[in-house]
Amino acid sequence: MGCCLTVGPNEALVVSGACCGSDAKTYVVGGWAWAWWLISDTQRITLEIMTLQPKCEDVETAEGVAITVTGVAQVKVMTDKDLLAVACEQFLGKSVMEIKAVVLQTLEGHLRSILGTLTVEQIYQDRDEFARLVREVAAPDVGRMGIEILSFTIKDVYDKLDYLSSLGKTQTAAVQRDADIGVAEAERDAGIREAECKKEMMDVKFLADTKMADSKRELELQKAAFNQEVNTKKAESQLAYELQAAKEQQKIRLEEIEIEVVQRKKQISIEEKEIDRTEKELIAMVKRPAEAEAYKMQQLAEGQKLKKVLTAQAEAEKIRKIGEAEAISISSVGKAEAERMRLKAEAYQQYGEAAKTALVLEALPKIAGKVAAPLSRTSEIVILSGDGSRVTGEVNRLLAELPVSVNALTGVDLSKMPLLQKITGAQA
């Protein structure tokens, strides 16, 4: 079994070793590769740019002047398969610092050898050419290591004997001298040329001023003539405009008057129609409803009047009928009562004492009912007595006292009646 390994675009993955003793190697940049466990070896090498600062101190030039030169180089491992394989053979397993150290020593060696073939002036004045020579000489050697020089520039050149400073001072003095001479000659030529130019300028200015004065005078004359003509035309145009405006205003006023007349006629017509409409509306909304209401009230009054007359007549007829019925009823009742009383009187006269007794006996239940009325609201009566015959004795006593009470009330002696005597004797 194995595993899948990935690598970014800034690194190269080297997989070596396989089944059956194979010595094949796989180089992967920004991709993936398969590695077998135990039998495959995986390593990585950086492809990022490496910055180097080669420095050669006190190196003698072709003239024997000792100078110190520092530069800046940008290098990286090449990604071409063959060159990547060479770089892996040289640097695989080494750190970035170790790779930088090897390349730096190579660049410094070539830098020293080139410094010995050039003069100080060549190195100082043409640094780009010096850097180009270093790249051309060092590129094949570092290329055989699988390294590519992307750029190489000279950072600084100096010496301890002030040779470069003196060389610069001499050159500066010569340049300053030539500059001063050039400035003086230029100022002289400039003064002469300035005077000539001023003279030419004055001549040209005089001619130009003369021509400008003539042109200005002619211009003013032409402007005056033009202004006169223009003012005349303006006056004529203004008068014609005012006349035409007056005519147009008169026409407009006539049209406005006609419009006002038409509008007034329309307004009068509209007002007449409005008056008719208002009159009809008043007739429809006021007069007609008023007439209808008056007719309605008249009919209602006549109906109420007729109703009251009929009601009065009916009430009078009712009263008359009721009076007649009551008179007949009273007459009949009176006659019946008189006949009843007459018959009672005849019966009383015929029967004498027996009739009175009968009347008393008829009244006794009513009297008993009035006397017993309070007892009717009593739910229960309890008589407390130790003797069982006491109740019977009380009842007999009440019956014995009854004739006396009736005699006191009516004057009729019930004790003399044969029936009551029998009841009393039976109880005794």
Side-chain angles (χ1 to χ4, degrees):
M1 296 298 291
C3 62
C4 181
L5 301 176
T6 59
V7 66
N10 62 334
E11 286 184 323
L13 177 66
V14 181
V15 180
S16 58
C19 298
C20 303
S22 174
D23 57 352
K25 298 179 181 63
T26 303
Y27 302 93
V28 180
V29 177
W32 65 277
W34 180 265
W36 298 97
W37 292 346
L38 302 176
I39 61 175
S40 296
D41 180 61
T42 59
Q43 290 180 301
R44 300 170 186 263
I45 186 170
T46 182
L47 300 178
E48 296 179 351
I49 294 176
M50 294 174 284
T51 302
L52 306 177
Q53 294 183 352
K55 183 177 182 181
C56 296
E57 297 180 353
D58 300 330
V59 179
E60 294 183 356
T61 61
E63 296 175 347
V65 179
I67 62 174
T68 300
V69 178
T70 58
V72 178
Q74 306 291 342
V75 299
K76 69 180 292 294
V77 177
M78 289 185 281
T79 56
D80 183 79
K81 186 175 181 180
D82 296 335
L83 297 175
L84 179 60
V86 172
C88 291
E89 290 177 0
Q90 301 291 332
F91 302 110
L92 198 62
K94 293 184 178 182
S95 64
V96 175
M97 296 302 297
E98 291 175 340
I99 296 173
K100 285 184 177 182
V102 173
V103 178
L104 180 61
Q105 291 177 5
T106 303
L107 290 177
E108 288 179 348
H110 287 291
L111 183 58
R112 285 178 179 274
S113 63
I114 293 172
L115 285 174
T117 61
L118 299 175
T119 62
V120 176
E121 288 78 2
Q122 290 175 336
I123 298 171
Y124 188 75
Q125 295 176 357
D126 197 354
R127 295 188 181 188
D128 292 339
E129 181 65 19
F130 176 48
R132 185 185 64 79
L133 289 174
V134 175
R135 285 197 302 272
E136 290 179 354
V137 174
D141 289 344
V142 296
R144 284 190 290 271
M145 300 178 189
I147 303 297
E148 178 184 6
I149 299 175
L150 300 177
S151 66
F152 182 85
T153 58
I154 300 301
K155 183 179 180 182
D156 193 13
V157 178
Y158 62 92
D159 67 302
K160 297 179 181 179
L161 301 175
D162 295 334
Y163 181 84
L164 294 173
S165 177
S166 300
L167 183 63
K169 289 178 180 179
T170 303
Q171 184 68 23
T172 303
V175 171
Q176 186 66 35
R177 181 198 61 198
D178 295 339
D180 293 340
I181 293 171
V183 169
E185 291 177 351
E187 288 180 352
R188 179 198 64 192
D189 296 339
I192 296 171
R193 184 61 182 165
E194 183 179 1
E196 293 175 353
C197 290
K198 283 183 178 180
K199 182 179 180 300
E200 294 177 357
M201 182 188 68
M202 293 301 293
D203 295 339
V204 172
K205 186 175 182 300
F206 177 74
L207 294 175
D209 290 341
T210 304
K211 291 181 178 180
M212 286 178 63
D214 294 339
S215 299
K216 187 175 182 181
R217 180 175 56 81
E218 292 178 359
L219 178 62
E220 293 295 333
L221 292 175
Q222 290 180 0
K223 285 175 66 178
F226 290 156
N227 288 334
Q228 182 180 2
E229 186 178 356
V230 169
N231 291 331
T232 302
K233 295 295 184 183
K234 281 184 177 179
E236 293 176 356
S237 299
Q238 185 67 26
L239 291 175
Y241 172 75
E242 291 178 357
L243 180 60
Q244 186 65 28
K247 292 180 180 180
E248 294 296 331
Q249 189 68 26
Q250 185 177 7
K251 290 180 180 180
I252 293 171
R253 182 55 185 165
L254 291 175
E255 292 179 356
E256 288 178 351
I257 292 172
E258 291 179 359
I259 293 172
E260 289 178 358
V261 170
V262 173
Q263 288 179 350
R264 184 59 181 167
K265 289 180 179 179
K266 289 184 178 180
Q267 185 176 1
I268 292 171
S269 178
I270 292 171
E271 289 177 354
E272 290 177 353
K273 291 180 179 179
E274 182 65 20
I275 291 171
D276 293 340
R277 187 192 66 80
T278 304
E279 183 178 359
K280 292 179 180 179
E281 183 178 356
L282 289 173
I283 290 172
M285 300 296 294
V286 178
K287 184 177 180 181
R288 298 302 183 192
E291 291 177 353
E293 187 66 22
Y295 180 74
K296 175 182 176 183
M297 295 301 294
Q298 182 180 359
Q299 295 297 321
L300 289 174
E302 293 178 356
Q304 290 291 333
K305 179 180 178 182
L306 181 60
K307 178 181 178 183
K308 288 180 180 180
V309 171
L310 294 176
T311 303
Q313 292 177 355
E315 189 67 25
E317 184 67 20
K318 175 183 176 183
I319 293 170
R320 188 179 63 80
K321 295 291 185 182
I322 292 173
E324 292 177 356
E326 287 181 353
I328 294 170
S329 176
I330 293 171
S331 177
S332 300
V333 171
K335 292 179 179 180
E337 187 65 26
E339 183 66 22
R340 185 175 67 83
M341 292 301 291
R342 187 182 63 79
L343 294 174
K344 279 186 177 182
E346 291 178 356
Y348 290 159
Q349 290 176 1
Q350 185 179 357
Y351 295 104
E353 192 65 30
K356 293 179 181 180
T357 302
L359 289 174
V360 172
L361 292 176
E362 289 179 0
L364 283 178
K366 295 180 179 180
I367 295 171
K370 295 294 182 178
V371 173
L375 295 176
S376 63
R377 293 190 292 272
T378 303
S379 60
E380 184 178 1
I381 297 175
V382 179
I383 297 175
L384 300 177
S385 176
D387 189 0
S389 62
R390 182 71 179 270
V391 177
T392 304
E394 290 293 333
V395 173
N396 293 331
R397 185 181 63 81
L398 289 175
L399 293 175
E401 293 177 356
L402 181 60
V404 178
S405 298
V406 173
N407 188 16
L409 291 173
T410 62
V412 178
D413 188 4
L414 296 178
S415 60
K416 294 181 179 182
M417 294 178 63
L419 179 59
L420 189 58
Q421 289 178 354
K422 290 180 180 180
I423 294 172
T424 305
Q427 290 177 352

